[in-house]
Amino acid sequence: MKTSEIIRIILCIILGYVLMFYVQPLIYENGIIQLGLATAILKQVWFLDYYQGAWLVFAFSVIATIAWYVLAAKAKIKGGNDTSKWSVVWWLFLLLPVLSTLIAIVLFKDKSSFISLSGLYILDGVFLLYWLPTATSSPGLLRNIPPGSQLLRSLIGD
Amino acid sequence: MSLYVIGIGGTGAKCLEAIVQMAAIGLFSEQPIKLLFVDADESNGNLERARSSLNKYENCYQLMSGDKQQYGWLKTPIESNGLWSPFGNTSTNKSLASFFNYNSLKQNNPDVGNLFDVLYTEEERKANLDVGFRGRPAIGSAVMSRVDLDNLDEEPWNAIIGQIQQDVGGGRSTTKVLLCGSIFGGTGASGLPTISRLIANKLNRENIREKVKIACLFVLPYFGFAPTGGSNDRVYARSEQFLLNTEAALRYYVNQAKMFDSVYLLGNQNFSRYKFSIGKTSQRNETHFIELYAALAARHFLQNTSSRQTQVVLINREHKGKLVWNDLPQRDEVKKELVNATRFAYVWLSNIVPELEYARSQGVKKAPNNIPWFNKFYQRGGLPDFNDSNQQQAIETISDWCKDYLRWLYDIHNCDGDDIELFNYKYLALENFDGSQKGEELSNLVVSDRRDNQARGGDTVQKIQQGLLDINRNQNLTSPNQGTSGLAKALYMLCRI
């Protein structure tokens, strides 16, 4: 485990948290994304559902990222054959943010915001909280398993 | 300082082979070693194997050009002066009778002819000597005594004496000449005293003898064999005579070894059993641990700057029948380099080569996904193309060296009659490197490994592969630092403990 990798993961989680719990609510509150609901209903009901779903996606995505990192750091690997098997594990962990997003959407009562919420939850959970930290910070010989990680790590000079 | 090493006969060739192996792992300096093989049996199996090892060394040495200071492997330039045979100018019948014109001798000078009859039996006179001197020093001495270095018109002696003159004239520090061979056999026993005397005389005449140190390395009897029946040829080496030959030779050297500045004697009480052979390719005796000592003696001679004439250095083993790390001279230095090279060869063959084969099967675009260190040495940002034939050839060249080194080391451990407890040699057998192993036994290679369990537990190929990812950044790898040679250099450095 490298300190730089752990720092990058923490930064991604903080970024995801700020986006999910501060920036995105502001987008809806200021009407940048129109929901067609009265302000009172928006504040009383809609945000309650939003935060519930956001916590679900956030928690599952962070768990998936940390679990991947810990397992990858402890993995016993002798060569490329072993490494390729771990790619299956990465895709399985991806199911956690995907499924949590689906559950959050299904549980959401206001079906009119389905499209925008799906987009934002997927952006947050799948990309920001799972793909980005794993692609920039997967440890050791599993560093290139997340798609796009080679390019991303060469861009950040790692 | 240059070191000239002349290996005489089959045992001499085996000593040169050991010197080549020890030079490869960095136990000699960056000063050149110049080798010459001397053998009447030009197709001798021991000689062939030694020359093959030298060839592999040279190929690998050329490949790994660049800064040698950083890692030590293959740092010694070895130049070969080839093979010299006392029958070099004799193309037809290589018998004693033919060599001395026995028939005309009998006719023109009957006294000498009759003396010849007394000294040599008819079988000895007629025996074909293209298989060497058949373990008979008396035959070898007669042939070798005809060598004439005075004229210096014969290669490679001409070149060697010229090189020594150049070295001495160039103001380099002392030039050293080491002659090695067996004291008990045919070619070595007869050639060593003759050739060393001729060289010493020649250097005396050139007034450079004082600037050249001459040493000899005699290998005392360390093996035996039983002749197989079926052949009518009755002139062959008899191992039961080895001790007698040795006793006589040692008596001779008490008074006649004045031309040597240093004398090394190596022997072993337990005789290994070898397969009987009169000579030619079938005379390919297994490597013996005594040859490791021969190489270390050459190293001692090179490094020794003492001018004392009567210095006696003794080394022996703690236990008869057993060889452990403590028995090696300059143990710490020697062990460090032996362990480093062995770990490298083991990891290269068991793990890196299969990984590179996997990369080939995956293709260069996909390979870095599963072998992340791949594009630290190949493809990316101007690094060499993995599919380039030079890179593929380099993989072969390094693998050839690794196999040859491990074969030599394995044979040393497998020698008959002694337990060699340096490495767990069963892991070094070449049949292990068929792809079934992936370097799992890396931490178990060394016998009496004193590292604690935690250190040994963390000593894995995975850690070494992870090291390949960061070595350029962490250790500022100098050239060669890319392609196959860069990979091998990085690996060699990472295998050091």
Side-chain angles (χ1 to χ4, degrees):
Chain A
M1 288 188 188
K2 284 184 185 171
T3 315
S4 58
E5 290 168 353
I6 293 170
I7 289 171
R8 282 199 293 265
I9 290 175
I10 292 171
L11 284 177
C12 288
I13 291 172
I14 291 171
L15 183 67
Y17 181 83
V18 170
L19 266 178
M20 290 183 92
F21 295 100
Y22 293 99
V23 178
Q24 284 165 196
L26 276 177
I27 291 173
Y28 285 109
E29 207 172 339
N30 293 332
I32 297 168
I33 298 176
Q34 295 286 338
L35 294 170
L37 295 170
T39 315
I41 297 171
L42 186 71
K43 282 190 174 167
Q44 284 171 16
V45 183
W46 195 90
F47 273 120
L48 208 65
D49 280 358
Y50 172 83
Y51 283 119
Q52 199 178 32
W55 273 114
L56 187 75
V57 173
F58 180 80
F60 274 83
S61 304
V62 169
I63 287 170
T65 300
I66 293 172
W68 162 258
Y69 186 77
V70 171
L71 286 180
K74 291 187 169 178
K76 302 274 180 231
I77 293 166
K78 285 175 266 173
N81 247 330
D82 294 341
T83 311
S84 65
K85 287 171 191 157
W86 277 88
S87 130
V88 178
V89 178
W90 188 89
W91 286 101
L92 284 174
F93 274 122
L94 177 66
L95 288 177
L96 281 178
V98 170
L99 287 175
S100 64
T101 303
L102 282 176
I103 293 167
I105 297 294
V106 168
L107 292 179
F108 212 83
K109 293 182 186 81
D110 175 30
K111 302 300 174 194
S112 66
S113 48
F114 173 79
I115 294 174
S116 65
L117 267 180
S118 302
L120 288 174
Y121 280 161
I122 287 171
L123 172 79
D124 299 333
V126 174
F127 287 98
L128 212 57
L129 291 168
Y130 184 68
W131 175 77
L132 189 62
T134 56
T136 55
S137 310
S138 286
L141 299 178
L142 299 180
R143 56 183 276 144
N144 292 346
I145 289 295
S149 54
Q150 277 188 68
L151 177 68
L152 212 55
R153 290 186 90 141
S154 66
L155 285 175
I156 59 173
D158 185 24
Chain B
M1 185 188 301
S2 290
L3 175 65
Y4 293 80
V5 190
I6 301 171
I8 305 167
T11 303
K14 291 174 82 186
C15 292
L16 293 199
E17 183 187 0
I19 289 170
V20 169
Q21 301 291 8
M22 292 300 96
I25 68 169
L27 280 173
F28 286 79
S29 67
E30 288 183 55
Q31 301 301 319
I33 297 179
K34 297 169 184 183
L35 303 182
L36 173 66
F37 295 92
V38 172
D39 208 318
D41 177 6
E42 295 176 40
S43 57
N44 182 283
N46 296 321
L47 178 69
E48 272 184 358
R49 195 177 55 204
R51 295 180 86 181
S52 160
S53 290
L54 176 60
N55 188 255
K56 286 171 181 131
Y57 179 99
E58 284 171 336
N59 291 341
C60 232
Y61 180 84
Q62 281 165 14
L63 184 73
M64 300 301 295
S65 58
D67 177 20
K68 305 271 183 183
Q69 286 289 350
Q70 209 173 16
Y71 59 119
W73 184 42
L74 301 163
K75 68 180 178 187
T76 309
I78 299 183
E79 297 164 22
S80 174
N81 285 296
L83 168 71
W84 178 79
S85 163
F87 294 116
N89 297 327
T90 311
S91 54
T92 51
N93 189 1
K94 292 178 182 173
S95 68
L96 205 55
S98 165
F99 197 70
F100 282 90
N101 295 319
Y102 173 75
N103 290 336
S104 62
L105 205 64
K106 280 289 268 187
Q107 278 182 350
N108 304 331
N109 201 340
D111 291 345
V112 178
N114 291 338
L115 179 64
F116 210 82
D117 290 340
V118 172
L119 292 173
Y120 301 100
T121 64
E122 187 180 357
E123 284 166 334
E124 285 177 331
R125 289 197 304 270
K126 288 182 177 170
N128 194 341
L129 300 180
D130 62 354
V131 294
F133 299 137
R134 297 168 178 255
R136 305 283 172 101
I139 297 178
S141 301
V143 175
M144 287 290 187
S145 66
R146 300 291 292 264
V147 176
D148 181 14
L149 283 183
D150 289 349
N151 293 328
L152 282 183
D153 55 357
E154 190 177 345
E155 293 296 353
W157 299 109
N158 185 14
I160 289 173
I161 298 292
Q163 285 169 19
I164 293 174
Q165 281 174 321
Q166 225 172 19
D167 288 347
V168 171
R172 290 193 196 178
S173 52
T174 318
T175 298
K176 298 188 171 184
V177 180
L178 173 69
L179 299 102
C180 38
S182 73
I183 202 168
F184 56 90
T187 312
S190 58
L192 210 151
T194 315
I195 291 172
S196 52
R197 193 178 64 244
L198 289 169
I199 290 175
N201 290 345
K202 178 67 190 166
L203 296 178
N204 264 328
R205 278 194 294 276
E206 300 292 334
N207 291 322
I208 54 172
R209 175 66 186 88
E210 290 304 310
K211 293 177 183 172
V212 180
K213 296 259 182 231
I214 301 178
C216 63
L217 191 157
F218 290 118
V219 182
L220 306 176
Y222 65 99
F223 65 86
F225 46 76
T228 49
S231 170
N232 293 327
D233 203 338
R234 289 167 56 192
V235 184
Y236 51 78
R238 294 174 193 274
S239 60
E240 63 272 22
Q241 289 179 354
F242 283 171
L243 284 175
L244 204 63
N245 291 349
T246 303
E247 198 268 345
L250 286 173
R251 276 179 192 279
Y252 167 84
Y253 282 111
V254 167
N255 297 315
Q256 300 294 323
K258 308 289 184 211
M259 66 281 218
F260 299 120
D261 297 292
S262 304
V263 176
Y264 294 89
L265 289 170
L266 297 172
N268 186 32
Q269 289 147 300
N270 304 330
F271 283 19
S272 294
R273 302 304 299 175
Y274 283 166
K275 205 177 80 181
F276 174 75
S277 165
I278 284 187
K280 296 274 182 189
T281 50
S282 64
Q283 193 180 351
R284 185 182 278 260
N285 303 334
E286 289 81 19
T287 308
H288 193 279
F289 79 84
I290 206 105
E291 293 147 30
L292 170 65
Y293 276 86
L296 297 177
R299 180 172 185 260
H300 178 267
F301 176 55
L302 182 69
Q303 291 180 341
N304 187 26
T305 51
S306 167
S307 55
R308 288 173 59 190
Q309 292 293 309
T310 54
Q311 194 178 17
V312 176
V313 181
L314 290 173
I315 185 157
N316 63 349
R317 290 190 283 176
E318 280 180 13
H319 308 285
K320 184 184 172 188
K322 197 182 203 184
L323 184 80
V324 296
W325 286 109
N326 281 343
D327 295 325
L328 295 181
Q330 296 173 297
R331 184 199 63 190
D332 291 342
E333 278 176 56
V334 173
K335 182 179 180 183
K336 191 172 79 176
E337 300 304 339
L338 268 170
V339 168
N340 193 172
T342 306
R343 284 166 58 84
F344 164 75
Y346 175 78
V347 175
W348 179 268
L349 291 177
S350 67
N351 192 276
I352 299 299
V353 169
E355 286 299 282
L356 293 174
E357 278 165 12
Y358 181 76
R360 200 179 300 130
S361 70
Q362 296 277 301
V364 291
K365 282 195 176 146
K366 214 174 157 196
N369 292 343
N370 298 325
I371 308 170
W373 48 263
F374 180 84
N375 55 11
K376 299 281 174 184
F377 299 96
Y378 301 103
Q379 307 303 132
R380 201 175 66 169
L383 292 173
D385 179 7
F386 176 68
N387 291 322
D388 185 273
S389 61
N390 289 335
Q391 296 303 320
Q392 294 301 315
Q393 182 57 49
I395 296 169
E396 285 296 310
T397 302
I398 294 167
S399 298
D400 284 349
W401 179 84
C402 290
K403 284 177 191 166
D404 191 60
Y405 170 72
L406 290 184
R407 185 265 314 154
W408 180 82
L409 197 63
Y410 179 87
D411 283 354
I412 277 184
H413 284 75
N414 206 22
C415 79
D416 181 37
D418 290 276
D419 292 327
I420 312 300
E421 297 182 358
L422 305 178
F423 292 97
N424 285 312
Y425 73 104
K426 62 181 175 185
Y427 301 133
L428 307 179
L430 292 182
E431 57 262 28
N432 291 335
F433 304 115
D434 56 0
S436 56
Q437 264 197 34
K438 287 281 189 179
E440 291 93 336
E441 303 298 342
L442 178 65
S443 62
N444 300 320
L445 288 183
V446 182
V447 174
S448 309
D449 191 339
R450 287 181 184 159
R451 290 177 295 165
D452 60 33
N453 285 341
Q454 196 185 353
R456 287 182 64 183
D459 184 18
T460 60
V461 285
Q462 182 174 354
K463 195 178 167 197
I464 287 178
Q465 286 200 31
Q466 284 174 3
L468 290 172
L469 285 168
D470 300 322
I471 192 162
N472 251 321
R473 190 169 45 197
N474 294 347
Q475 301 201 30
N476 190 24
L477 209 63
T478 54
S479 174
N481 54 4
Q482 47 182 253
T484 304
S485 49
L487 171 62
K489 176 183 174 179
L491 185 68
Y492 202 87
M493 290 167 69
L494 290 166
C495 285
R496 189 169 285 273
I497 48 175

